[in-house]
Amino acid sequence: YHAGPHGYGWQKQGVGIPTTTGTLVHDPLAIVLAEVQWTDAIPDDTFVYAAIQQAVAAYQAIIETRGLTVLMEPADLAGRVREQTTLIEGLVWTWVKGVLPQFHADWRIVAVEQEEVTVLGCTCGLGDQIGTAAEHDARNCDGIGWMTRGDIVTESRQSPGSYAYHEFKTTADASMNWEAQWAHKVQLVAGVVGIEARLGIRVDAVYVHALIKGKFQATWVAGEGAKGP
């Protein structure tokens, strides 16, 4: 309403720099956990570092794609890029060093970041959550393909046959409200349904691993007010 010929018009207030996203943190963790799955051992630091550097390179590519190297002062941009890439490294290293040893002792990894297509509302007679999407398509099924991509599936080392589903979630603040939402999130249910259908297992527990990245807040300078994040 304000941008028309009789309105206030648009004025640029600043240039947005992308923050570290879940994908940029998920990817190196998936690489590390896939290695744990195949070797049943925690990879060395060199392997972890190489996985992290792929995510750092992906972030820097985002910066270049958005043309921020042209729009921003080099010093300002370089500082923020260092901040965000350090955050990627810190979140991954913290989980690998602080959580993975006990995680590996408790769980055997069954699957990492595998895409699932579970058919629901089957009309071809094969049945819901039975067979692959291709098999349903071959029978001219009008069911719905429910596409999911779960993070990690594990089997308990202490209780073989007991499976768990794990999700990594980055968040600015793991508040009580943030925690409470997961009891009602369809995403978790979808991931479990897809995994159970493909692997023929029952998932007994779901874990959400919170990777707390913090949030931008203005710095208050006495007599001058807020001065950026």
Side-chain angles (χ1 to χ4, degrees):
Y1 294 105
H2 298 293
H6 304 294
Y8 302 116
W10 297 107
Q11 291 184 345
K12 184 174 71 174
Q13 299 297 313
V15 178
I17 298 179
T19 57
T20 296
T21 65
T23 300
L24 291 170
V25 177
H26 273 68
D27 288 349
L29 286 172
I31 293 171
V32 170
L33 289 167
E35 181 71 6
V36 175
Q37 178 185 0
W38 293 115
T39 64
D40 199 26
I42 297 175
D44 60 25
D45 288 356
T46 301
F47 185 94
V48 177
Y49 181 76
I52 291 172
Q53 291 311 301
Q54 290 187 38
V56 170
Y59 180 83
Q60 292 171 334
I62 292 172
I63 295 295
E64 293 175 2
T65 301
R66 293 194 180 187
L68 296 178
T69 54
V70 176
L71 295 173
M72 293 192 64
E73 292 293 331
D76 294 339
L77 180 60
R80 286 293 297 276
V81 168
R82 283 196 303 272
E83 173 190 72
Q84 293 301 303
T85 53
T86 300
L87 182 56
I88 294 171
E89 294 193 46
L91 289 171
V92 175
W93 277 120
T94 298
W95 196 88
V96 168
K97 292 296 187 181
V99 180
L100 182 55
Q102 189 61 51
F103 182 92
H104 180 246
D106 293 340
W107 303 101
R108 180 181 68 84
I109 298 176
V110 176
V112 177
E113 291 277 359
Q114 291 191 353
E115 294 185 353
E116 322 280 354
V117 180
T118 305
V119 176
L120 304 176
C122 172
T123 63
C124 69
L126 195 58
D128 283 6
Q129 303 181 45
I130 297 175
T132 65
E135 291 172 327
H136 283 267
D137 287 341
R139 296 162 65 102
N140 297 317
C141 185
D142 291 326
I144 298 172
W146 194 358
M147 294 181 290
T148 61
R149 184 175 179 176
D151 284 359
I152 314 168
V153 185
T154 60
E155 182 181 16
S156 172
R157 295 188 188 274
Q158 288 72 35
S159 302
S162 178
Y163 296 89
Y165 174 67
H166 304 258
E167 278 271 2
F168 287 110
K169 293 295 179 185
T170 56
T171 177
D173 180 17
S175 64
M176 292 179 63
N177 288 337
W178 185 87
E179 292 182 14
Q181 69 175 317
W182 299 109
H184 312 285
K185 283 287 187 179
V186 173
Q187 180 186 6
L188 293 184
V189 177
V192 169
V193 167
I195 287 162
E196 289 183 334
R198 183 175 62 82
L199 299 180
I201 63 173
R202 173 183 172 84
V203 173
D204 300 310
V206 175
Y207 296 90
V208 177
H209 298 254
L211 304 174
I212 305 173
K213 60 183 180 179
K215 57 185 177 181
F216 290 120
Q217 291 182 318
T219 300
W220 187 267
V221 179
E224 299 181 17
K227 292 293 183 180

